[in-house]
């Protein structure tokens, strides 16, 4: 089989970055994030996953829905749908699965969210298979594989000599043909290695059966596991599948006699205090235990019931980032244990 | 002059509407009458009792409200809005001629066709009466289609009772009765005093061939249902409309879930049998 050389890949990325916004894992003050890069040398070919997921490319932490211009009794709204074609490079299998879960809710369930749908349509996703699993990764426990090419347009696998290229969609093929120019040093022959080298690490978690969740809804475990939760929401912000949002208007600078605003939506999370409070002041999830339970149930029970797939990819970011070491796999293990030994 | 530049139908961008009138309904409660412009009039040419819409106070934000009007009575869209937060405070500042945004109509509705021929007991608590007014108007405007109509209307204080100028019409319609109650009366009050549950127990409507419709705070819904059970009503006879501070209204923002249900797209109208099967309590 053929692979492309490292230099061919970097040339490809350089040519692409000249014409399109190219978003790739890149170190920003020592933190690995998906950010726009201007040349291939800025791309971090790191084995580790970026701290935040590529969710923010399609569903930004703050997104303008439309702008509002007020001038006397004149009022004008300007819709601000994404219009720019772009490429995201280096998306791992877990994050590709995250996009598929967001697609199920944002696009496949009518009415489609026009902002997310437009950005998805305009973006070509280049995946990068994982060669090894990270310490907190548990994608394999959820039926994923670190070298699964599905959910991306082009899937790459890195080897010493170069990159194996697997074209998954027409969109991927179009991008390949558009920028990848044949050269003398282009192809090398090599038999591919298959599989992630480290996909057989000890079992971190057993996914509870669906019928378990209703039985444990009122269990005392929720107050216990949430006792140290700070309701800081980092778990949701780093999560490739969490998608709750808030909407509000913010004022922009304007010329004299005019006022300008933008209606924005920004990430929110069900673990936040008062998230579910109603206008009348009532809050059916006033306690931290109730809120953490909602997050867990959403991922493994509610979302699958509504959209036919988990809202968790096993990426492990929430475990890495929780300031008080709440481990979602420990909670899942506890659910199974409480069920077995009540 | 107003215009809206959109590329296609975008459920997040509101229609523009002009405030045709703003009336005081009660203490800190106003009735906003909205005349829709651009595509809004078409979108709202048909909507049903129980549905809701988002009202934008441009520059502050938007919030969901039960629609308080029916298209049969008026081409003007009406909302009863109590001043509680930033959006409602801004909406209260607006006056006739000011522009608001409207998204909707959203959510399901009361199955008025299934109520045909049935006796109807309607219980509204405070601002919770707003989304029930279209039910009242639909029944009064099609009086022969429904059986006996009992309205139990409550508020904490007489100043918080809404649509007081319509009570005469409601109680004088054929085969209708209206019972009012407040928790804390003032000197002029000459109706019932006490909770709506006490009034319900006193009026004691028969469950025979009847349905109930309740909207109010969660704690009111809970205790009203206890009384209804004692009176012999079965959960499938009892309909409620639930509230949440939603953000999108189209099943995306995640704010309004109760268990795996989303109030915005699965509701806001539910049978109590459905509510009883929710994994998570509305309380």
């Amino acid at each position: 089989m053929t692979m492309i050389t490292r230099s061919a890949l970097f040339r490809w990325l350089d040519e692409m970055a000249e014409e399109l916004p190219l978003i790739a894992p890149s170190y920003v003050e020592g933190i690995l994030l998906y950010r726009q890069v201007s040349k291939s040398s800025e791309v971090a070919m790191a084995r580790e996953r970026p701290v935040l997921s590529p969710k923010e490319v399609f569903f930004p932490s703050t997104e303008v829905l439309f702008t509002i211009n007020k001038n006397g009794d004149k009022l004008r709204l300007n819709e601000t749908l994404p219009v720019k074609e772009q490429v995201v490079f280096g998306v791992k299998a877990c994050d590709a699965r995250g996009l598929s879960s967001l697609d199920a809710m944002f696009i496949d369930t009518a009415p489609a969210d026009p902002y997310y749908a437009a950005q998805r349509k305009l973006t070509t996703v280049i995946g990068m298979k994982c060669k090894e699993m990270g310490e907190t990764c548990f994608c394999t426990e959820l039926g994923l594989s670190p070298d699964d090419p599905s959910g991306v347009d082009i899937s790459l696998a890195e080897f010493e000599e170069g990159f194996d290229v697997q074209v998954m969609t027409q969109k991927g093929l179009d991008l390949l043909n558009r920028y990848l120019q044949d050269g003398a040093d282009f192809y090398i022959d090599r038999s591919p290695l298959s599989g992630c080298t480290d996909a057989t690490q000890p079992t971190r978690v057993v996914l509870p059966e669906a019928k378990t969740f209703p039985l444990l809804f009122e269990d005392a475990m929720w107050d216990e596991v949430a006792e140290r939760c700070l309701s800081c929401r980092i778990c949701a912000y780093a999560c490739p599948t969490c998608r709750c949002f808030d909407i509000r208007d913010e004022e922009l600078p304007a010329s004299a006699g005019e006022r300008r605003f933008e209606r924005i939506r920004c990430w929110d999370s069900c673990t936040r205090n008062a998230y579910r409070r109603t206008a009348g002041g009532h809050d059916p999830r006033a306690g931290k235990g109730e809120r953490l339970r909602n997050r867990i149930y959403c991922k493994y029970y509610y979302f699958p019931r509504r959209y036919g797939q988990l809202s968790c990819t096993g990426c492990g970011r929430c475990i890495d980032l929780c300031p008080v070491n709440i481990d979602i796999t420990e909670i899942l293990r506890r659910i199974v244990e409480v069920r077995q030994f009540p | 002059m107003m215009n809206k530049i959109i590329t296609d139908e975008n459920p997040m961008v509101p229609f523009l509407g002009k405030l045709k009138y703003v009336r005081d309904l009660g203490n800190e409660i106003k009735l906003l009458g909205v005349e829709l412009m651009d595509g809004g009039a078409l979108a709202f040419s048909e909507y049903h009792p129980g549905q809701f819409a988002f009202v934008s106070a441009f520059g502050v934000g938007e919030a969901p409200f039960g629609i308080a009007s029916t298209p049969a009575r008026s081409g003007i869209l009406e909302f009863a809005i109590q001043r509680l937060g930033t959006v409602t405070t801004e909406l209260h500042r607006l006056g006739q001629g000011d522009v608001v945004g409207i998204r909707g109509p959203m959510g399901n509705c009361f199955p008025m066709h299934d109520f045909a021929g049935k006796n109807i007991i309607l219980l509204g608590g405070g601002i919770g009466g707003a989304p029930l007014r279209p039910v009242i108007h639909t029944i009064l405007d099609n009086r022969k289609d429904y059986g006996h109509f009992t309205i139990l209307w409550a508020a904490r204080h007489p100043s918080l009772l809404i649509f007081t100028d319509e009570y005469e019409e409601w109680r004088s319609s054929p085969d209708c009765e209206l019972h009012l109650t407040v928790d804390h009366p003032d000197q002029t009050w000459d109706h019932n005093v006490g909770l709506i549950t006490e009034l319900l127990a006193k009026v004691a409507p028969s469950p025979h061939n009847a349905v109930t419709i309740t909207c109010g705070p969660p704690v009111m819904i809970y205790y009203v249902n206890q009384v209804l059970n004692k009176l012999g009503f079965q959960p499938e006879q009892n309909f409620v409309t639930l509230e949440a501070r939603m953000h999108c209204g189209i099943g995306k923002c995640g704010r309004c879930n109760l268990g795996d249900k989303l109030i915005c797209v699965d509701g806001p109208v539910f049978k109590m049998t459905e509510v009883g099967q929710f994994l998570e309590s509305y309380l």
Side-chain angles (χ1 to χ4, degrees):
Chain A
M1 84 165 301
T2 55
M3 295 174 48
I4 61 169
T5 60
R6 284 180 170 269
S7 59
L9 178 86
F10 293 138
R11 213 165 55 224
W12 183 45
L13 292 176
D14 282 330
E15 280 170 26
M16 222 185 299
E18 273 182 27
E19 276 188 40
L20 297 173
L22 173 65
I23 295 154
S26 178
Y27 283 100
V28 183
E29 293 175 10
I31 298 170
L32 190 61
L33 294 167
Y34 285 96
R35 285 293 177 267
Q36 189 171 335
V37 294
S38 56
K39 50 185 184 296
S40 62
S41 58
E42 293 169 20
V43 178
M45 301 298 286
R47 298 245 158 132
E48 70 197 269
R49 57 170 144 60
V51 175
L52 297 178
S53 84
K55 164 178 87 176
E56 57 177 338
V57 173
F58 304 93
F59 172 49
S61 56
T62 299
E63 181 170 29
V64 180
L65 301 179
F66 54 88
T67 59
I68 303 157
N69 279 60
K70 277 182 178 178
N71 193 337
D73 56 357
K74 286 182 196 160
L75 190 134
R76 200 176 74 241
L77 306 185
N78 265 309
E79 184 190 55
T80 48
L81 280 174
V83 289
K84 260 200 276 180
E85 201 186 333
Q86 60 181 14
V87 175
V88 190
F89 174 83
V91 171
K92 303 200 181 265
C94 53
D95 287 342
R97 177 65 76 94
L99 292 177
S100 128
S101 124
L102 292 175
D103 289 351
M105 191 274 305
F106 272 133
I107 300 176
D108 302 338
T109 307
D113 181 278
Y115 300 87
Y116 178 87
Q119 197 59 268
R120 275 291 267 155
K121 207 173 164 188
L122 288 162
T123 308
T124 308
V125 179
I126 304 174
M128 182 68 75
K129 293 177 175 119
C130 287
K131 297 289 285 179
E132 57 197 25
M133 287 179 74
E135 218 175 289
T136 51
C137 294
F138 61 104
C139 67
T140 49
E141 320 290 345
L142 303 182
L144 272 109
S145 164
D147 56 358
D148 184 349
S150 54
V152 297
D153 299 301
I154 299 170
S155 179
L156 301 177
E158 187 183 8
F159 297 96
E160 247 174 64
E161 304 91 324
F163 294 85
D164 175 38
V165 182
Q166 202 177 347
V167 177
M168 302 300 293
T169 66
Q170 183 62 43
K171 204 176 176 184
L173 188 62
D174 292 345
L175 185 78
L176 208 60
N177 290 337
R178 207 158 116 200
Y179 293 107
L180 196 55
Q181 307 297 327
D182 264 331
D185 63 339
F186 194 73
Y187 291 114
I188 47 171
D189 279 323
R190 175 189 205 296
S191 28
L193 295 169
S194 65
C196 170
T197 54
D198 191 24
T200 51
Q201 60 176 354
T203 302
R204 294 180 61 94
V205 59
V206 179
L207 200 59
E209 291 177 86
K211 65 178 184 197
T212 308
F213 290 97
L215 299 170
L216 291 187
F217 195 79
E218 303 289 352
D219 199 275
M221 69 169 278
W222 297 111
D223 285 335
E224 285 170 37
V225 296
E227 198 182 358
R228 63 183 192 269
C229 175
L230 305 173
S231 304
C232 76
R233 301 163 259 169
I234 189 65
C235 50
Y237 295 166
C239 179
T241 62
C242 270
R243 59 55 157 86
C244 286
F245 59 84
D246 194 357
I247 292 181
R248 60 187 61 213
D249 292 356
E250 280 192 354
E251 186 145 21
L252 299 168
S255 48
E258 194 190 33
R259 288 187 80 181
R260 291 173 62 230
F261 305 89
E262 52 190 15
R263 175 150 303 167
I264 57 168
R265 72 168 164 196
C266 44
W267 291 352
D268 199 352
S269 163
C270 64
T271 55
R272 175 171 65 76
N273 182 29
Y275 172 82
R276 187 58 178 75
R277 188 184 290 165
T278 62
H282 180 72
D283 190 343
R285 289 199 289 270
K288 286 194 292 189
E290 292 162 331
R291 296 201 297 274
L292 187 61
R293 177 187 62 198
N294 187 72
R295 181 159 193 276
I296 301 296
Y297 274 50
C298 178
K299 303 214 152 294
Y300 305 104
Y301 184 60
Y302 303 155
F303 199 93
R305 278 168 71 91
R306 280 197 91 87
Y307 307 107
Q309 54 182 301
L310 292 174
S311 177
C312 174
T313 69
C315 74
R317 286 186 178 93
C318 56
I319 307 170
D320 284 344
L321 293 174
C322 178
V324 293
N325 297 320
I326 293 176
D327 181 334
I328 201 164
T329 61
E330 263 172 39
I331 296 174
L332 289 171
R333 271 200 303 278
R334 181 118 183 231
I335 292 173
V336 174
E337 278 163 21
V338 170
R339 188 63 200 126
Q340 280 170 342
F341 315 105
Chain B
M1 190 201 82
M2 270 137 284
N3 60 62
K4 193 174 80 167
I5 302 165
I6 59 164
T7 52
D8 203 346
E9 238 176 74
N10 180 339
M12 301 311 291
V13 179
F15 299 111
L16 297 178
K18 199 170 245 183
L19 289 180
K20 193 88 175 162
Y21 45 83
V22 178
R23 293 183 196 136
D24 281 326
L25 272 189
N27 186 24
E28 303 279 21
I29 305 171
K30 289 191 177 188
L31 183 77
L32 269 56
V34 182
E35 184 177 34
L36 284 158
M37 294 171 293
D38 56 76
L42 185 65
F44 280 87
S45 58
E46 200 186 346
Y47 58 91
H48 305 282
Q51 288 196 287
F52 66 96
F54 280 79
V55 182
S56 279
F58 289 118
V60 177
E62 61 177 359
F65 301 95
I67 304 172
S69 51
T70 62
R73 281 209 180 187
S74 171
I76 305 295
L77 202 58
E78 291 183 327
F79 299 93
I81 294 176
Q82 185 164 22
R83 195 174 74 81
L84 285 168
T86 53
V87 172
T88 51
T89 296
E90 179 64 12
L91 289 173
H92 269 228
R93 274 186 359 95
L94 301 179
Q96 193 180 345
D98 284 333
V99 176
V100 293
I102 304 285
R103 289 198 295 127
M106 289 170 171
N108 65 356
C109 58
F110 289 104
M112 297 305 294
H113 289 295
D114 298 347
F115 296 165
K118 293 199 187 296
N119 302 323
I120 294 169
I121 300 103
L122 182 142
L123 302 104
I127 197 69
L132 300 186
R133 183 174 174 241
V135 176
I136 297 173
H137 285 179
T138 302
I139 293 169
L140 298 188
D141 295 347
N142 303 275
R143 197 62 206 89
K144 285 181 195 140
D145 295 349
Y146 305 94
H148 188 75
F149 189 23
T150 309
I151 302 171
L152 281 73
W153 206 247
R156 274 177 290 133
H157 187 266
S159 66
L160 296 171
L161 280 169
I162 54 175
F163 305 120
T164 49
D165 57 338
E166 297 185 15
Y167 295 166
E168 201 40 52
E169 181 205 345
W170 299 358
R171 67 160 70 90
S172 63
S173 291
D175 212 14
C176 288
E177 49 184 299
L178 170 68
H179 302 273
L180 301 171
T181 188
V182 295
D183 300 355
H184 308 290
D186 59 14
Q187 281 146 353
T188 62
W189 186 252
D190 55 1
H191 300 276
N192 296 282
V193 173
L195 299 172
I196 195 165
T197 44
E198 295 160 357
L199 180 64
L200 176 62
K202 193 172 114 185
V203 174
S206 162
H208 176 69
N209 190 35
V211 293
T212 76
I213 298 170
T214 306
C215 186
V219 66
M220 172 189 139
I221 292 176
Y222 179 78
Y223 285 106
V224 158
N225 269 281
Q226 291 207 330
V227 177
L228 288 171
N229 291 345
K230 276 190 198 144
L231 291 171
F233 286 85
Q234 300 300 309
E236 62 267 22
Q237 289 177 276
N238 303 327
F239 293 76
V240 294
T241 169
L242 298 177
E243 173 214 7
R245 206 186 257 176
M246 316 155 187
H247 285 306
C248 73
I250 55 171
K252 310 298 182 197
C253 79
R255 178 65 72 99
C256 65
N257 84 302
L258 281 177
D260 67 346
K261 298 292 176 199
L262 295 174
I263 289 178
C264 68
V265 291
D266 298 325
V269 175
F270 296 97
K271 273 187 196 178
M272 276 316 280
T273 37
E274 296 173 272
V275 174
Q277 284 161 4
F278 289 177
L279 186 55
E280 188 171 21
S281 167
Y282 60 92
L283 261 188

